[in-house]
Amino acid sequence: MQTASAPADRATDLASSVLLTMRQMGVVALPRNYEIFYEALSGSNHELSLEVVGLSKRPTQDDLDRIARKYFDSSNDSAAVEHARETVAKELEEIASILRKERSHVEKFGRVLDQTAEGLNGRLVSKDLLQKIVEVMAVATSSTIDHGKQVANQLSEKSNELETVKSKLEEYKRLANTDQLTQIWNRRAFDREIADIYNSNRGILFKALILADIDRFKEINDRFGHPVGDRVLQSIADIFRSSIRADMFVARTGGEEFALIVDGASEEATFEIADRIRMLIEQTPFVNPQTNASYGSVTISMGICMASEAESPEDLYSKCDRTLYRSKVTGRNRVTRFSTLSERAGKSWMLYRKD
């Protein structure tokens, strides 16, 4: 029988395995190297795991840095943002130039009006002179109107170009916060969303966290291969997405772990949401799309904690992780509420938070 220390044991075992593997391969214990091997051994990134397996027995630091750049380097995002910044700065300078020219043109037209007014002031004007003045003013006015239209068109074009830049930035932001495999939110977006709960009293009073973990997912990967495991993850993400309101937040926060932030529901209603999703997953046939061969039943364990039962985002995640672990050790394929745990106070469960 597993004990309450099992989550910590799992984390400790993984950390020990990472350090042992690095020593065996002669890898220097740099933080960036540790990150590579941690992600590879945890199985949260299948492609990264394959890259590490494909390394030589004594990989060079250049080999490791290449992997780090490929999977962890955010320079591409930074380059995109820098390019957008330069484009915006250029467009704003061109807009300022257009407005300066327009100001100069309007001031010139104003001087023509002033000079004409001064010329007419107190003077007897013949019909011919008045005709010439009208013609000059008509030309000046027409020129000013045409110039104004050109300026309006130029500003409209610049506005459209800035809207394009804005759209690209929004797309970069969406991609940075989206899990590539499942196309739902990723851990980065989740960390921001859970932190936002405690920025207002409303969030604390009306929000809840559901954590979910696929049961025996490693066995699925070992038996059928990672491509099948990936399809299972995609199918479960689709079930989550189709089973909740559009304004609810669902993310893949780890290899086979998902998180759902529920807004405006009681604990009982939150439990019903979680349990409905659990049953849908249990009842969904997971089959090979080409052969229709069954991969067997897939189930999921879940934990619930109301935001009002925690003091911070970290505390909420930790307590919800405890309830998820309780679902695991009491038989899997079930939903546990934090409010039902008997040991709700005491030892800090932040030690068991999965990062």
Side-chain angles (χ1 to χ4, degrees), residues 193-200 202-204 207-208 261 307 316:
E193 193 74 14
I194 193 174
D196 188 58
I197 292 175
Y198 290 85
N199 288 334
S200 68
R202 187 195 178 283
I204 297 172
K207 291 192 177 184
I261 295 178
L316 176 60

Side-chain angles (χ1 to χ4, degrees), residues 70-141:
K70 181 176 180 180
Y71 292 97
F72 305 117
D73 191 6
S74 60
S75 60
N76 289 337
D77 289 344
S78 300
V81 172
E82 179 62 20
H83 176 70
R85 186 197 68 79
E86 292 175 356
T87 302
V88 170
K90 178 182 176 183
E91 296 294 342
L92 290 177
E93 176 56 35
E94 291 180 1
I95 289 173
S97 176
I98 291 170
L99 293 176
R100 284 194 295 268
K101 291 178 180 178
E102 172 65 2
R103 177 182 176 183
S104 174
H105 195 87
V106 171
E107 288 176 346
K108 181 178 180 181
F109 181 62
R111 286 195 296 271
V112 171
L113 293 178
D114 290 340
Q115 292 168 2
T116 302
E118 289 175 1
L120 291 173
N121 190 24
R123 291 181 57 184
L124 292 174
V125 181
S126 67
K127 180 179 178 182
D128 290 341
L129 178 59
L130 187 60
Q131 180 70 29
K132 290 180 180 179
I133 291 174
V134 170
E135 290 174 355
V136 169
M137 291 303 303
V139 170
T141 302

Side-chain angles (χ1 to χ4, degrees), residues 42-72:
S42 68
S44 60
N45 189 323
H46 177 51
E47 292 183 0
L48 172 60
S49 299
L50 291 178
E51 292 249 16
V52 171
V53 170
L55 289 171
S56 63
K57 291 183 178 180
R58 287 291 185 270
T60 66
Q61 190 59 50
D62 286 341
D63 292 333
L64 296 169
D65 288 343
R66 175 184 55 78
I67 293 176
R69 285 193 298 272
K70 181 176 180 180
Y71 292 97
F72 305 117

